Amino acid sequence: MSGGLDSTAAALLLLEQGYHLVGCTFRTRYTSESNLQAAGALAQQLGIEHHVVDFTDLFDNRVIRYFREEYLAGRTPNPCVLCNRVIKFGALMDVADRYSCDYVATGHYARVQDGFICRAADEKKDQTYFLWQLSPEQLARVIFPLGNLTKVQVRAYLADHGYTDLARGGESQDICFIQDDYRSFLQLPTQIGDYVDATGKVLGQHVGFANYTIGQRKGLGIALGTPAFVTQIDAARNVVTLGKHDELYTHDVQLHDVVFRGDASLPVMAQIRFRSRPQEGVFNAQMSTIHFVDPVWAVTPG
């Protein structure tokens, strides 16, 4: 329970379905006391047991460390994916056992069908992109009450149940521990390095490779007369390669940490970032690659 509209709606729906609930809010060094108090107050209002679990050390050692190390390796991390596997559906499963709970339910917009993670009814709010690392054992104990609803329906449902302020509430951040910009959060050191083009010609200087990501155009601090995009990052040499928009298209993508439970002989639909559209491709299980039928733009390591 975050104290927000989605987790509250999920709890209400489960109570109506006859579940006995135990509310749980986890604390990190980035959790505000007001959020903890809001979650506790909502649990009391709903008439359910509520616990605050301290995951500060686990969150720092796994999620924050990963987040920083990936940038310092020249990659672009997705901390939400790791947090879901390790904490929200990892450590939280142990907490569920502690309180004799059979399932873990959250306010994610996703569905589980026949042991597989499936898209939510609301395509714009679908969060399955962040849940791909969940194991079959984890999915067997997960309930997503909002998976068949749109955000508009969730707001209306809360309003109908008297939670009008929550129903009008804003959206939560994609990355909960960053208030403004990841560069400020990480306090990355200034490490002057070279911008180069595809031939290796030096174009100018940048402030450190970890401040950039593949496909980035804004904030480069260099004027070349034509639009320039980050096409490659060499962390070992502190070199950032710039190029044209069309140089970032590719058909083939190398994968790692693959979780695949489908039929590898069939075409797949895959997306390379949260806001992109799924594209048809062919998955090679032996090589852990995807060959896209149409080229995709700005594939970003990490």
Side-chain angles (χ1 to χ4, degrees), residues 20-97:
H20 173 74
L21 302 187
V22 175
C24 182
T25 305
F26 68 79
R27 181 201 301 272
T28 72
R29 68 179 69 256
Y30 310 100
T31 308
S32 69
E33 288 300 319
S34 60
N35 282 354
L36 296 176
Q37 292 170 6
L42 277 167
Q44 186 174 23
Q45 192 173 353
L46 292 168
I48 66 175
E49 185 179 338
H50 180 255
H51 301 273
V52 175
V53 181
D54 195 327
F55 286 154
T56 300
D57 290 341
L58 179 63
F59 194 80
D60 284 350
N61 292 333
R62 295 298 303 276
V63 179
I64 300 301
R65 177 180 292 178
Y66 152 82
F67 187 71
R68 181 177 181 83
E69 288 179 350
E70 283 291 280
Y71 272 113
L72 293 177
R75 296 185 289 267
T76 303
N78 192 323
C80 300
V81 172
L82 184 67
C83 181
N84 281 326
R85 176 171 62 84
V86 172
I87 295 180
K88 290 183 181 178
F89 301 97
L92 198 57
M93 292 288 185
D94 297 331
V95 176
D97 291 338

Side-chain angles (χ1 to χ4, degrees), residues 106-127:
T106 70
H108 283 88
Y109 287 82
R111 292 184 280 196
V112 177
Q113 296 176 357
D114 300 322
F116 289 89
I117 195 82
C118 298
R119 299 279 189 180
D122 191 333
E123 292 185 4
K124 292 183 178 179
K125 297 300 177 184
D126 177 84
Q127 293 173 296

